[in-house]
Amino acid sequence: MMKLSRLLQSRNLLSGKLLYGKSGDVKDASCLHAFTVHAGISTSRENSAAKGYAAQRIFASYSVFKGKAALSVTPVLPTFTKLDSGSVVVDRRGVMMFKFLPAIGERKYDNEKRQMIALSVTEVGSLISLGPQDSCEMFHDPSMKSSNAGQVRKSLSIKPHADGSGYLISLSVVNNILKTKEYFTVPVTTAEFSVMKTACSFALPHILGWGRLTNQLPRGTEGQPSKVDSQLLDLEWDK
């Protein structure tokens, strides 16, 4: 249990450095777009080298801001490994990162109390396939099938409004190590959810690694897998 506690604390510190600069910042909606994009990955990295700006990275996320919380959705690309044969294979699949921040004032959101949940490709498929009256719930536990199972668990719920005007997206986080329980709710309109589904549909082949497959770089330009991207895949459990 102590090892798991230290791991969660170290990931919390890491995520603060990688994604947000300073831990504990308070962000307002006007600058949250710039703040959330640091968790993203380049959607055009596969062909950037051919265009002469391999060192440049393009970041993007989709965010909605509501009275009780803000939600941003960002694709995180997979990591790749180069084999001795010269072939490049997927080392770890990408995810769609859902990040929630609680509101602490009008158009102000608390970065320090953020929570994230990383959706796998199958879970993204569940979201994309939702109909107007459908709902789904996803459960995550970093220690599943081990003696520490249940110590930290997350639940993402997506339910339609009764009047058909949109959906309620909620995240529950229970941490029995720190003895905390957090709950975020973000109502989204039909239009906002449609954008979210369309964006996830577009990103799905890329988090599978198929974007790299269909836009293969010239030989000798694959480079080494990014350590930062590998760390981003772990940030769901930053606290």
Side-chain angles (χ1 to χ4, degrees), residues 134-148:
D134 294 335
S135 62
C136 67
E137 192 164 7
M138 306 164 194
F139 300 92
H140 286 196
D141 184 337
S143 302
M144 188 177 295
K145 297 181 179 180
S146 75
S147 59
N148 290 321

Side-chain angles (χ1 to χ4, degrees), residues 136-200:
C136 67
E137 192 164 7
M138 306 164 194
F139 300 92
H140 286 196
D141 184 337
S143 302
M144 188 177 295
K145 297 181 179 180
S146 75
S147 59
N148 290 321
Q151 291 297 320
V152 182
R153 60 184 185 274
K154 297 183 179 183
S155 172
L156 179 71
S157 173
I158 304 176
K159 297 180 179 180
H161 295 315
D163 59 3
S165 60
Y167 292 80
L168 183 67
I169 303 178
S170 59
L171 176 68
S172 172
V173 182
V174 177
N175 189 323
N176 291 318
I177 299 174
L178 301 177
K179 301 187 183 304
T180 59
K181 184 175 182 180
E182 299 174 79
Y183 189 70
F184 304 81
T185 58
V186 179
V188 297
T189 65
T190 301
E192 290 168 336
F193 194 69
S194 179
V195 172
M196 199 175 298
K197 289 176 63 176
T198 303
C200 286

Side-chain angles (χ1 to χ4, degrees), residues 56-229:
Q56 182 179 355
R57 304 180 73 202
I58 302 171
F59 300 92
S61 64
Y62 176 63
S63 303
V64 292
F65 310 97
K66 303 296 178 174
K68 293 183 178 180
L71 166 64
S72 72
V73 181
T74 310
V76 179
L77 290 179
T79 59
F80 298 86
T81 296
K82 189 173 183 178
L83 304 179
D84 293 338
S85 64
S87 299
V88 178
V89 298
V90 173
D91 178 60
R92 187 174 179 184
R93 283 181 176 177
V95 298
M96 291 298 296
M97 193 72 75
F98 279 55
K99 179 175 57 186
F100 294 78
L101 295 95
I104 56 173
E106 186 176 358
R107 294 177 63 83
K108 292 185 180 297
Y109 302 89
D110 194 339
N111 169 27
E112 186 176 5
K113 294 183 179 180
R114 68 190 176 277
Q115 285 288 352
M116 293 183 282
I117 184 168
L119 300 193
S120 68
V121 292
T122 302
E123 290 170 328
V124 171
S126 296
L127 184 152
I128 294 172
S129 63
L130 287 176
Q133 300 301 320
D134 294 335
S135 62
C136 67
E137 192 164 7
M138 306 164 194
F139 300 92
H140 286 196
D141 184 337
S143 302
M144 188 177 295
K145 297 181 179 180
S146 75
S147 59
N148 290 321
Q151 291 297 320
V152 182
R153 60 184 185 274
K154 297 183 179 183
S155 172
L156 179 71
S157 173
I158 304 176
K159 297 180 179 180
H161 295 315
D163 59 3
S165 60
Y167 292 80
L168 183 67
I169 303 178
S170 59
L171 176 68
S172 172
V173 182
V174 177
N175 189 323
N176 291 318
I177 299 174
L178 301 177
K179 301 187 183 304
T180 59
K181 184 175 182 180
E182 299 174 79
Y183 189 70
F184 304 81
T185 58
V186 179
V188 297
T189 65
T190 301
E192 290 168 336
F193 194 69
S194 179
V195 172
M196 199 175 298
K197 289 176 63 176
T198 303
C200 286
S201 296
F202 173 82
L204 186 57
H206 296 278
I207 63 177
L208 277 167
W210 290 5
R212 181 83 177 254
L213 176 67
T214 57
N215 295 282
Q216 295 187 47
L217 297 174
R219 288 187 178 181
T221 62
E222 290 90 347
Q224 297 299 320
S226 168
K227 293 182 180 180
V228 174
D229 284 349

